[in-house]
Amino acid sequence: MNKAQIFDFFSRLAEANPAPQTELEYGNDFQLLVAVVLSAQATDVGVNKATRALFRDVHTPQQMLDLGEDGLKQHIKTIGLFNAKAKNVIALSEILVRDFDGQVPQDRDTLTTLPGVGRKTANVVVNTAFGQEAFAVDTHIFRVGNRTGLAPGKTVLAVEQKLDKRVPAPFRRDAHHWLILHGRYVCKARRPECWRCIVSDLCRYKPKTPPPGTPTGTGSKPARSRAVQESPAKT
């Protein structure tokens, strides 16, 4: 995409959803950090089910330490890798209490020093909690960036860097949310719903996926995944 097309791309997404939000449920910065750590290789829906009761009682790192690792596991045992995630959440809570007066750091590099917090998680937190311009590239954003031609790259970092370079100023703060929601609900992995996509004419992906029930042999074929372009390495 050229600059004009990229501006048009985000203008349409912004018009359709002027105030995009994360689908993770949380009440403060610490709860957001915990939710994002728990969401690795898990769905937001699954994380929300597990954290609703947890977050009613646990609002601070100290309260998480008071709950303890075994108590945390009882809340999150329905989430994949819950044993390792519980250990990381307790460990990062200890560090927040000891070194940061119980507050979540607003710096991405500092956040990535916490157990269980990678670059993607840190980007989500600084963007969602603190309004910083950051691009947290997950599987959905990696796919959309490559499939559409918006930000092609062979690695998660390459796509992030391309987005940082190419997304224009009016859209930088919310770009992460627009892209993840577009990938989650429209530009799906196995069968993108091109027939109802508001940016399909700007997208380089071919062939466009026809509506359900379209007779075969009409010039369009069901979309197939592109392993190299649409499947990022695990982060």
Side-chain angles (χ1 to χ4, degrees), residues 126-171:
V126 298
N127 175 260
T128 303
F130 307 121
Q132 297 179 26
E133 296 176 355
F135 305 92
V137 180
D138 69 349
T139 303
H140 298 297
I141 296 178
F142 186 89
R143 179 175 65 252
V144 172
N146 277 289
R147 181 182 277 169
T148 63
L150 170 67
K154 293 183 178 180
T155 67
V156 168
L157 181 59
V159 171
E160 179 188 334
Q161 291 172 335
K162 191 69 69 68
L163 287 171
D164 193 23
K165 181 179 180 181
R166 305 192 77 187
V167 176
F171 310 110

Side-chain angles (χ1 to χ4, degrees), residues 37-43 76-85:
V37 169
L38 296 178
S39 71
Q41 301 184 48
T43 66
I76 66 171
K77 60 186 177 182
T78 57
I79 300 176
L81 306 175
F82 73 93
N83 285 313
K85 291 176 180 179

Side-chain angles (χ1 to χ4, degrees), residues 1 7 38 48 58 64 78 80 91 135 140 149 165 183 198 215 228 232-233:
M1 293 188 194
F7 194 94
L38 296 178
N48 290 337
V58 175
M64 186 67 75
T78 57
F135 305 92
H140 298 297
K165 181 179 180 181
I198 61 175
V228 174

Side-chain angles (χ1 to χ4, degrees), residues 7 11 14 19 24 29 81-82 90-91 108-109 111 121 152 157 165-166 192 195 197 210 223 225 234:
F7 194 94
S11 294
L24 289 171
D29 301 342
L81 306 175
F82 73 93
I90 294 299
R108 180 178 64 193
D109 292 339
L111 280 167
T121 296
L157 181 59
K165 181 179 180 181
R166 305 192 77 187
W195 67 89
C197 175
S225 62
K234 292 182 180 179

Side-chain angles (χ1 to χ4, degrees), residues 43-62:
T43 66
D44 288 0
V45 171
V47 172
N48 290 337
K49 288 181 179 178
T51 57
R52 283 182 188 128
L54 173 67
F55 288 166
R56 281 198 292 267
D57 298 323
V58 175
H59 304 273
T60 68
Q62 185 59 59

